[in-house]
């Protein structure tokens, strides 16, 4: 798979480390979260067949974390963005 | 029909006209006591043990395609019970004991071959860890044998012992491990279950569950509604998709694992070998092909095919321990979907919905578990309590902190 890095252009997915669903960016608020919230956050996954937003860490490159929107049935990548940018806008 | 050597000879002399289909092809009845979703190894084994051990005869297995068309037809056929942790080892040893009696139990030749499994050791630390694992296996009634370098050289003289990075220092052998003809496992269980009255309904896809007041009443299928007292789900590779129809999210990510087979060769590899410094395992099938595999690709996938970086990694691992493998031409490669759980261990449990039970999360170790998984799931469905060897495989272990994490990787499914 080729991941179109927003800063570096097309890169081989083998340069990246896969970190799982982009939902992991929505960490529960430690002041208000219940143990059940933490359980759901840490262990449960939507695991969809189809469009999946996921985190790829550019370990063999600029060490940025990307949010890649990819189809888990065809492996086709439809969007790539910087995770930091997304967080800043949120 | 009972299979025997005498029957084969009789049929050979009479033109093979007396063979009948190994199982019926029934239409679904309106209602069963127990409906099992998934006609793979685990689902069919569950049906067999429900009928033969637990006296349940109004049982159906529902399969969306043809039986044995999923992961039981796509694996590398290895059986072993060389686990470390208490939650796992008694279960896998129970499974290995069931494999040993499987063909007599099913009256079916599954080509169970106890040719031995050997994990190679490449460092002093790894030797300590493997001897500890061997001791844990022995404590749980399994067999394990530490082999020093001389013994490994005697049994496998062709290995790359003096590799500069990963020299081989010894091995941990399990002599009772080996390989099984994977398709025959599905067919054998199907035939045995069918002969005890289990309906195996193929080309029947489950489209939803009928759930009322927190109780599962049956399943909606492409062949209409089928009522059930209890419903068991055993759909490796589709667990999250199926359970989402019951409103559940699972502690599972689905990943693709690739496997490979070379052209047929004369016998060169007596047993199963695993590389201790990378992730690579290889055996030789009875047809002569070298069957091997390595890591999962590492990203969520429902595509039954992988990508080239892992192909390269697996082949490099093979060359590192067994350079002669480079002389064999690759014949086929394929991918299967692994339901990777959050601690690398499976789940056999009831759900929060009454009458709905789940079996899944086998990561890439489901084949060797087939008999015990079926047995334990049958126990769960018949008695509504876990089998004593599978008591740790519960949904709530992630809440209570009782993870069964053989590799100590935490909730990172692609590392298990």
């Amino acid at each position: 798979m080729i991941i179109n890095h927003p800063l570096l252009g097309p890169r081989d997915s083998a340069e990246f480390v896969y970190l799982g669903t982009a939902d992991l960016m929505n960490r529960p608020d430690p002041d208000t979260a219940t143990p059940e919230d933490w359980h759901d956050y840490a262990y449960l996954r939507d695991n969809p067949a189809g469009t999946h937003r996921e985190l790829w860490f550019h370990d063999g490159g600029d060490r940025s974390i990307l949010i890649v929107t990819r189809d888990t049935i065809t492996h086709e990548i439809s969007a790539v963005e910087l995770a930091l940018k997304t967080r800043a806008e949120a | 029909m009972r299979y025997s050597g005498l029957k084969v000879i009789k049929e050979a002399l009479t033109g093979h006209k007396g063979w009948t289909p190994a199982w019926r092809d029934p239409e679904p009845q309106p209602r069963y006591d127990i409906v099992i979703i998934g006609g793979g190894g685990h689902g069919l084994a569950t049906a067999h043990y429900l009928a033969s051990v637990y006296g349940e005869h109004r049982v159906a297995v529902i399969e969306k395609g043809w039986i044995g068309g999923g992961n039981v037809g796509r694996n590398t056929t290895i059986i072993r019970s060389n686990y470390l942790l208490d939650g796992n080892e008694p279960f896998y040893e129970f499974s290995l004991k069931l494999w040993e009696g499987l063909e007599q139990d099913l009256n079916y030749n599954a080509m169970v071959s106890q040719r031995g499994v050997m994990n190679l050791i490449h460092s002093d630390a790894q030797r300590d860890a493997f001897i500890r694992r061997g001791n844990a296996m022995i404590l749980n009634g399994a067999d394990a044998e530490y082999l020093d370098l001389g013994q490994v050289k005697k049994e496998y003289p062709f290995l790359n012992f003096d590799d500069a990075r990963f020299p081989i220092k010894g091995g941990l052998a399990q002599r009772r491990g080996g390989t099984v003809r994977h398709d025959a496992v599905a067919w054998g269980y199907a035939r045995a279950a069918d002969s005890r009255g289990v309906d195996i309904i193929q080309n029947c896809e489950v489209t939803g569950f009928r759930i009322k007041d927190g109780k599962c009443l049956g399943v909606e299928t492409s062949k209409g509604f089928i009522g059930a007292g209890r419903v068991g789900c055993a759909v490796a590779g589709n667990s999250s998709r199926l359970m989402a129809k019951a409103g559940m999210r699972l502690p599972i990510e689905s990943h693709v694992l690739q496997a490979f087979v070379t052209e047929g060769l004369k016998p060169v590899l007596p047993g199963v070998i695993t590389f201790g410094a990378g992730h690579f395992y290889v055996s030789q099938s009875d047809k002569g092909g070298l069957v091997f595999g390595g890591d999962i690709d590492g990203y969520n996938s429902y595509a039954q095919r992988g990508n080239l970086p892992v192909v390269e990694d697996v082949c490099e691992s093979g060359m590192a321990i067994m350079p002669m493998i480079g002389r064999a031409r690759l014949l086929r490669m394929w991918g299967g979907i692994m339901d990777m759980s959050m601690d690398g261990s499976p789940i056999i449990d009831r759900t929060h919905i009454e009458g709905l039970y789940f079996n899944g999360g086998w990561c890439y170790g489901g084949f060797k578990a087939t008999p015990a998984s079926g047995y334990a799931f049958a126990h769960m469905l018949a008695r509504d309590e876990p089998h004593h060897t599978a008591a740790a495989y519960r949904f709530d272990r992630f809440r209570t902190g009782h993870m069964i994490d053989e590799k100590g990787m935490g909730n990172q499914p692609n590392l298990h």
Side-chain angles (χ1 to χ4, degrees), chain B residues 62-65 203-208 220-223 245:
Chain B
I62 299 176
E63 166 57 45
K64 75 172 175 181
N203 300 307
C204 178
E205 182 170 1
V206 170
T207 53
E220 307 285 354
T221 77
S222 55
K223 294 190 176 184
K245 296 182 199 296

Side-chain angles (χ1 to χ4, degrees), chain B residues 1-5 7-8 19-22 106-109 191:
Chain B
M1 183 200 303
R2 194 168 168 76
Y3 294 159
S4 67
K7 174 80 180 158
V8 172
W19 301 113
T20 55
L106 301 182
N107 177 231
Y108 202 87
N109 180 10
R191 175 172 166 271

Side-chain angles (χ1 to χ4, degrees), chain B residues 45 58 62 66 74 150 204 223 243 300 331 344 363 404:
Chain B
R58 291 186 45 77
I62 299 176
W66 58 89
R74 307 179 82 83
C204 178
K223 294 190 176 184
M243 300 316 280
N300 285 48
L331 190 66
C363 301
I404 314 162

Side-chain angles (χ1 to χ4, degrees), chain A:
Chain A
M1 288 188 294
I2 300 292
I3 295 176
N4 275 309
H5 194 297
L7 304 176
L8 303 175
R11 311 297 305 187
D12 189 333
S13 64
E15 293 176 4
F16 294 79
V17 173
Y18 180 77
L19 299 178
T21 172
D23 292 343
L24 293 171
M25 290 177 70
N26 306 322
R27 191 158 54 170
D29 180 349
D31 294 329
T32 57
T34 63
E36 196 62 18
D37 293 335
W38 286 112
H39 166 265
D40 293 358
Y41 168 77
Y43 296 112
L44 300 187
R45 299 287 183 268
D46 288 338
N47 194 23
T51 305
H52 190 227
R53 291 182 82 239
E54 55 202 24
L55 302 172
W56 290 74
F57 171 51
H58 201 189
D59 191 30
D62 70 346
R63 303 185 69 77
S64 60
I65 297 176
L66 306 182
I67 299 177
V68 175
T69 307
R70 191 178 56 93
D71 191 310
T72 58
I73 296 172
T74 63
H75 295 167
E76 187 185 357
I77 293 171
S78 54
V80 183
E81 55 200 311
L82 288 168
L84 268 179
K85 184 163 179 282
T86 308
R87 173 165 280 179
E89 286 169 358

Side-chain angles (χ1 to χ4, degrees), chain B residues 73-150:
Chain B
R74 307 179 82 83
N75 58 76
T76 44
T77 78
I78 298 164
I79 61 168
R80 56 184 173 86
S81 68
N82 52 1
Y83 284 71
L84 173 70
L85 299 179
D86 289 342
N88 275 331
E89 181 57 19
F91 174 83
Y92 286 101
E93 177 53 23
F94 177 51
S95 201
L96 192 51
K97 287 196 169 75
L98 289 172
W99 282 119
E100 288 174 324
L102 182 81
E103 292 163 310
Q104 296 306 315
D105 183 23
L106 301 182
N107 177 231
Y108 202 87
N109 180 10
M111 296 163 74
V112 177
S113 166
Q114 293 182 291
R115 56 185 69 183
V117 171
M118 189 172 59
N119 307 125
L120 296 173
I121 294 167
H122 304 271
S123 68
D124 289 342
Q126 193 166 39
R127 180 185 292 116
D128 291 346
F130 276 23
I131 288 174
R132 177 183 176 221
R133 175 189 298 249
N135 286 335
M137 291 161 65
I138 291 165
L139 283 171
N140 281 295
D143 66 305
E145 186 181 339
Y146 166 67
L147 303 182
D148 65 21
L149 181 57

Side-chain angles (χ1 to χ4, degrees), chain B residues 135-310:
Chain B
N135 286 335
M137 291 161 65
I138 291 165
L139 283 171
N140 281 295
D143 66 305
E145 186 181 339
Y146 166 67
L147 303 182
D148 65 21
L149 181 57
Q151 289 167 291
V152 178
K153 274 189 170 160
K154 200 171 150 205
E155 291 184 31
Y156 293 96
F158 49 80
L159 294 177
N160 187 12
F161 291 93
D162 301 319
D163 184 80
R165 271 184 88 187
F166 304 118
I168 294 167
K169 302 284 195 186
L172 180 70
Q174 183 173 35
R175 304 289 185 194
R176 289 163 58 243
T179 59
V180 180
R181 172 86 183 104
H182 54 169
D183 297 315
V185 175
W187 301 333
Y189 273 124
R191 175 172 166 271
D194 176 88
S195 73
R196 287 191 166 87
V198 172
D199 282 356
I200 298 168
I201 301 157
Q202 305 184 74
N203 300 307
C204 178
E205 182 170 1
V206 170
T207 53
F209 297 92
R210 187 174 290 181
I211 296 167
K212 200 175 167 194
D213 302 329
K215 189 174 181 343
C216 183
L217 305 176
V219 290
E220 307 285 354
T221 77
S222 55
K223 294 190 176 184
F225 175 74
I226 301 174
R230 281 149 287 169
V231 175
C233 306
V235 293
N238 285 298
S239 297
S240 294
R241 275 205 268 193
L242 179 67
M243 300 316 280
K245 296 182 199 296
M248 289 180 68
R249 291 173 82 217
L250 301 180
I252 283 173
E253 277 180 13
S254 297
H255 287 255
V256 60
L257 174 70
Q258 303 188 65
F260 308 83
V261 63
T262 70
E263 60 192 331
L265 306 169
K266 287 185 178 179
V268 290
L269 185 57
V272 181
I273 295 177
T274 73
F275 188 24
H279 198 171
F280 180 82
Y281 37 90
V282 59
S283 64
Q284 187 169 22
S285 80
D286 291 318
K287 283 191 288 187
L290 296 174
V291 182
F292 59 94
D295 268 324
I296 54 176
D297 271 38
Y299 45 82
N300 285 48
S301 177
Y302 284 94
Q304 285 179 318
R305 57 180 173 77
N307 275 299
L308 288 172
V310 168

